[in-house]
Amino acid sequence: MTDKLVDRIRDALRVVIDPELGHNIVDLGFVYDISVVDDAVRITMTATTPGCPAIRFLNEGVANAAAQVPGIGSVDIVMTFDPPWTPSRIEPVIRASLGFAAVN
């Protein structure tokens, strides 16, 4: 049940679009971990840089999207920059469309 719930949360997070890159945060590799205990979800995520002006926007979007998933009672978001985000975390098709095709 927990794996399916994590999958539903991950799918719900695809509605959160990074305003600078124009793609969802899941495909961009911003979501590092999703864990669920009872009805509480903890999402560990990042942004392109610690000074990213979209951090507050992304946090609000993630909290709202995850809270809409049936079975979720609370959402805790942990923003981290360890490890730092790199373009190699982007899904290959999206990475190519953004011009990062040579990144391994």
Short mmCIF file of all heavy atoms in Angstrom, two decimals, residues 11 20 28 32 39 44 47 52 60 74 90 95 98 103:
data_model
loop_
_atom_site.label_atom_id
_atom_site.label_comp_id
_atom_site.label_asym_id
_atom_site.label_seq_id
_atom_site.Cartn_x
_atom_site.Cartn_y
_atom_site.Cartn_z
N ASP A 11 3.05 11.11 -8.78
CA ASP A 11 2.23 11.52 -9.93
C ASP A 11 1.57 12.88 -9.67
O ASP A 11 1.51 13.72 -10.57
CB ASP A 11 1.17 10.47 -10.26
CG ASP A 11 1.76 9.23 -10.91
OD1 ASP A 11 2.91 9.29 -11.41
OD2 ASP A 11 1.08 8.19 -10.90
N GLU A 20 11.03 28.50 -14.15
CA GLU A 20 12.19 28.86 -14.97
C GLU A 20 12.44 27.85 -16.08
O GLU A 20 12.74 28.22 -17.21
CB GLU A 20 13.44 28.99 -14.10
CG GLU A 20 13.35 30.14 -13.12
CD GLU A 20 14.53 30.20 -12.18
OE1 GLU A 20 14.98 29.15 -11.70
OE2 GLU A 20 14.99 31.33 -11.94
N LEU A 28 12.27 16.89 -13.64
CA LEU A 28 13.50 17.69 -13.51
C LEU A 28 14.45 17.12 -12.45
O LEU A 28 15.58 17.56 -12.33
CB LEU A 28 13.17 19.14 -13.17
CG LEU A 28 12.52 19.93 -14.31
CD1 LEU A 28 12.06 21.29 -13.80
CD2 LEU A 28 13.48 20.09 -15.48
N TYR A 32 13.87 14.24 -4.32
CA TYR A 32 14.87 13.26 -3.92
C TYR A 32 14.26 12.05 -3.23
O TYR A 32 14.72 10.93 -3.39
CB TYR A 32 15.90 13.89 -2.99
CG TYR A 32 16.88 14.83 -3.66
CD1 TYR A 32 17.78 15.54 -2.89
CD2 TYR A 32 16.94 15.00 -5.03
CE1 TYR A 32 18.71 16.39 -3.47
CE2 TYR A 32 17.86 15.85 -5.62
CZ TYR A 32 18.75 16.54 -4.83
OH TYR A 32 19.67 17.39 -5.41
N ASP A 39 -0.51 8.50 7.80
CA ASP A 39 -1.06 9.41 6.79
C ASP A 39 -0.19 10.65 6.60
O ASP A 39 -0.61 11.64 6.00
CB ASP A 39 -2.50 9.81 7.13
CG ASP A 39 -2.59 10.70 8.36
OD1 ASP A 39 -1.60 10.80 9.11
OD2 ASP A 39 -3.67 11.30 8.57
N THR A 44 11.42 15.08 0.42
CA THR A 44 12.73 15.72 0.40
C THR A 44 12.99 16.13 -1.03
O THR A 44 12.91 15.31 -1.95
CB THR A 44 13.83 14.76 0.90
OG1 THR A 44 13.46 14.31 2.22
CG2 THR A 44 15.17 15.45 0.95
N ALA A 47 16.09 22.45 -5.36
CA ALA A 47 15.85 23.38 -6.46
C ALA A 47 17.19 23.51 -7.19
O ALA A 47 18.19 22.91 -6.79
CB ALA A 47 15.38 24.73 -5.93
N CYS A 52 17.55 30.08 -5.42
CA CYS A 52 16.50 30.05 -6.43
C CYS A 52 15.28 30.85 -5.95
O CYS A 52 14.74 30.59 -4.88
CB CYS A 52 16.09 28.61 -6.72
SG CYS A 52 14.72 28.46 -7.88
N GLU A 60 5.10 25.59 -1.88
CA GLU A 60 3.64 25.71 -1.80
C GLU A 60 2.97 24.76 -2.79
O GLU A 60 1.97 24.11 -2.45
CB GLU A 60 3.21 27.15 -2.07
CG GLU A 60 3.58 28.09 -0.94
CD GLU A 60 3.28 29.55 -1.27
OE1 GLU A 60 2.71 29.85 -2.35
OE2 GLU A 60 3.62 30.40 -0.43
N SER A 74 -1.02 14.86 6.42
CA SER A 74 -0.10 15.98 6.61
C SER A 74 1.07 15.85 5.65
O SER A 74 1.42 14.76 5.21
CB SER A 74 0.42 16.03 8.05
OG SER A 74 1.21 14.89 8.33
N ILE A 90 17.80 15.25 -14.58
CA ILE A 90 16.64 15.46 -15.44
C ILE A 90 16.39 14.20 -16.28
O ILE A 90 17.33 13.57 -16.77
CB ILE A 90 16.85 16.67 -16.38
CG1 ILE A 90 17.16 17.94 -15.59
CG2 ILE A 90 15.64 16.88 -17.28
CD1 ILE A 90 17.56 19.13 -16.47
N ARG A 95 15.80 16.49 -20.63
CA ARG A 95 17.17 17.03 -20.63
C ARG A 95 17.57 17.41 -22.05
O ARG A 95 18.10 18.49 -22.30
CB ARG A 95 18.14 16.01 -20.03
CG ARG A 95 19.53 16.56 -19.83
CD ARG A 95 20.42 15.63 -19.03
NE ARG A 95 20.52 14.32 -19.62
CZ ARG A 95 20.39 13.18 -18.92
NH1 ARG A 95 20.17 13.19 -17.64
NH2 ARG A 95 20.50 12.03 -19.54
N LEU A 98 15.94 20.54 -23.30
CA LEU A 98 16.47 21.75 -22.68
C LEU A 98 17.91 22.06 -23.11
O LEU A 98 18.49 23.04 -22.67
CB LEU A 98 16.44 21.61 -21.14
CG LEU A 98 15.04 21.59 -20.52
CD1 LEU A 98 15.13 21.24 -19.04
CD2 LEU A 98 14.34 22.92 -20.71
N VAL A 103 24.99 15.77 -21.19
CA VAL A 103 25.22 15.50 -19.78
C VAL A 103 24.98 14.02 -19.52
O VAL A 103 23.97 13.47 -19.93
CB VAL A 103 24.29 16.36 -18.89
CG1 VAL A 103 24.48 15.98 -17.43
CG2 VAL A 103 24.57 17.83 -19.11
#
